[in-house]
Amino acid sequence: MIVRAESLGYRYPVPRRRGNGPLVFPKPALNGVTFQVEEPRLIALLGPNGSGKSTLFRILTTLLSPQTGRAEVCGFDLQRDALAVRRQIGVVFQESSLDRKLTVRENLTCAGNLYGLQGVALVKRIDQAAQQMDLSSRLDHDVQTLSGGLRRRAEIARTLLHQPRLLLLDEPSSGLDPLARRELWHYLRRLQVTEGVAVLASTHFLDEAAQCDWLLIMHEGRLAAQGAPDPLCEDLGGEVVEIVSDRAAELGSVLAPRAGFHVAVVDDVVRVECPNAPALIGNLSASHGEWIQEMRMHRPSLADVYFHATGDLFRP
Ligand code: ADP
């Protein structure tokens, strides 16, 4: 078992002000989060801003103690055996912590020393970690001369020195351009496959989550859904029809009683999960055509999984 989290809860003690707004007294940032990671898979912690991803991340990296519940990483209790947990994990925070004035090799050497690695063993581990992230030719470059994507890879290489079993990355693609984002996920997948490392990365990008083996979907501090991406979408069944209408509320109440339909109205859009979208579109055009400005249909996506589980649109 790589992670076992049971009923994790956390509420920040102080009220917060967003911009010039009023003081907000906090709701729980995490509220009864339970999940397990049994195998070394590529896992996305998916959720919009404020859903609790970073708080869960801080707990799993032993920076924050849960106020309720408990968790283990690789069999070690996060609170009782924090040091042992830290030996099992590699962590990449949102903010880069590389020393920009040093070379990649110097950064890795300092980090290796902190893990008690020295001499030939350290040189060997640095070479291996650099190879894993295709950074061998950059080892003697100053960090400040590297692109954002290369820096992120250097940071990941640094976390690999002590051969962790679980890699935890907080929004690793934030600030990267689309090509660097794609490359980053290619390397994360490669590490998971070739090194057998479990990778848990938080993201608010649906396309990144869709390529993972398993999703933990967060909403307002709770785990709204979890599962592999395709089955999560397939479990919704059928298709989704979005109907733009200036009488959306009325149209919603016409459709809601129909068996097998899951109907929600958001602003001027009626959203219907139904077993047969073409039939619904045909029938509605005939019966309520004058109420309807536009109709679209699609197979269920992760955005629909999120909506189904939370009743909210996914707003990253
Ligand atoms: P995410 O990473 O998904 O954006 P967070 O875990 O950062 O979510 O935030 C979850 C909730 O906790 C939000 O309501 C946020 O405002 C609140 N929060 C996060 N950090 C702090 C903090 N240091 N002090 C007070 N409230 C916080």
Side-chain angles (χ1 to χ4, degrees), residues 12 14 16 18 29 48-55 58:
Y12 288 96
V14 284
R16 247 189 165 192
R18 278 197 190 274
N49 250 331
S51 56
K53 303 184 297 297
S54 297
T55 306
R58 284 179 208 132

Side-chain angles (χ1 to χ4, degrees), residues 92 94 152 169-174 176 184-185 188 201-203:
V92 177
Q94 260 181 56
R152 203 54 56 90
L169 305 100
D170 194 9
E171 307 251 359
S173 56
S174 74
L176 298 186
L184 173 79
W185 283 91
L188 294 180
S202 62
T203 180

Side-chain angles (χ1 to χ4, degrees), residues 31-75:
N31 194 351
V33 169
T34 297
F35 67 94
Q36 295 181 359
V37 176
E38 287 170 19
E39 299 160 35
R41 295 201 268 196
L42 183 55
I43 301 154
L45 182 60
L46 172 70
N49 250 331
S51 56
K53 303 184 297 297
S54 297
T55 306
L56 178 57
F57 187 85
R58 284 179 208 132
I59 288 176
L60 292 176
T61 52
T62 74
L63 294 181
L64 210 59
S65 290
Q67 291 159 343
T68 60
R70 57 182 297 278
E72 285 176 5
V73 169
C74 302

Side-chain angles (χ1 to χ4, degrees), residues 57-120:
F57 187 85
R58 284 179 208 132
I59 288 176
L60 292 176
T61 52
T62 74
L63 294 181
L64 210 59
S65 290
Q67 291 159 343
T68 60
R70 57 182 297 278
E72 285 176 5
V73 169
C74 302
F76 297 106
D77 186 276
L78 281 180
Q79 284 168 283
R80 287 201 309 269
D81 289 320
L83 206 57
V85 169
R86 288 179 195 179
R87 289 201 188 96
Q88 306 294 328
I89 60 177
V91 183
V92 177
F93 294 101
Q94 260 181 56
E95 296 296 324
S96 168
S97 56
L98 293 171
D99 191 323
R100 296 160 61 96
K101 296 236 161 76
L102 299 183
T103 64
V104 175
R105 190 189 302 280
E106 288 163 344
N107 269 283
L108 267 55
T109 303
C110 293
N113 290 156
L114 290 176
Y115 278 105
L117 289 163
Q118 277 171 348
V120 183

Side-chain angles (χ1 to χ4, degrees), residues 24 41 84 96-97 142 177 183 216 232 255 276 280 288 314:
V24 177
R41 295 201 268 196
S96 168
S97 56
D142 285 351
D177 63 50
E183 275 179 7
L216 302 168
L232 277 174
L255 293 171
N276 186 344
L280 171 68
H288 292 81
F314 189 86

